[in-house]
């Protein structure tokens, strides 16, 4: 179901139904902001999650909100499987 939803999202973006909010953002800050959320999700599990990333990784141009959501979605799926 998640795979089909992802394909539908891509199709919607390509057809212009979903507009991306493209901007330049600091990739490290975005990734670092996800870490506390994932740590909180892991409290009930015996799983360790470490975040290691250079603060100078750079900037990225794209839809920060959608990328953040996609990364969280992948990590939550991994937590469910752990």
């Amino acid at each position: 179901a998640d795979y089909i939803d992802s394909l539908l999202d891509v199709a919607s973006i390509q057809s212009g139904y979903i507009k991306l909010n493209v901007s330049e953002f600091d990739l490290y800050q975005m990734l670092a902001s996800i870490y506390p959320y994932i740590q909180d999700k892991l409290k009930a599990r015996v799983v360790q999650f470490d975040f290691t990333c250079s603060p100078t990784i750079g900037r990225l141009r794209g839809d920060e909100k959608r990328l953040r959501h996609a990364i969280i979605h992948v990590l939550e799926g991994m937590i469910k499987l752990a």
Side-chain angles (χ1 to χ4, degrees):
D2 289 334
Y3 180 72
I4 292 171
D5 289 342
S6 296
L7 289 176
L8 291 174
D9 281 349
V10 170
S12 296
I13 291 167
Q14 289 176 339
S15 66
Y17 288 113
I18 295 177
K19 297 294 182 192
L20 297 177
N21 185 15
V22 177
S23 64
E24 189 173 296
F25 60 93
D26 186 283
L27 185 56
Y28 175 81
Q29 287 180 350
M30 189 271 295
L31 293 172
S33 74
I34 294 171
Y35 183 71
Y37 173 79
I38 296 301
Q39 284 296 97
D40 189 51
K41 292 280 188 181
L42 289 171
K43 282 183 181 176
R45 301 193 181 261
V46 185
V47 177
Q48 183 177 345
F49 178 75
D50 293 322
F51 172 69
T52 305
C53 179
S54 171
T56 59
I57 192 171
R59 300 186 65 75
L60 187 67
R61 184 162 174 75
D63 189 324
E64 181 178 5
K65 182 179 175 182
R66 288 196 180 268
L67 179 58
R68 183 177 196 279
H69 177 76
I71 292 170
I72 287 172
H73 182 74
V74 168
L75 292 172
E76 286 177 332
M78 291 171 55
I79 291 168
K80 287 178 186 176
L81 294 174

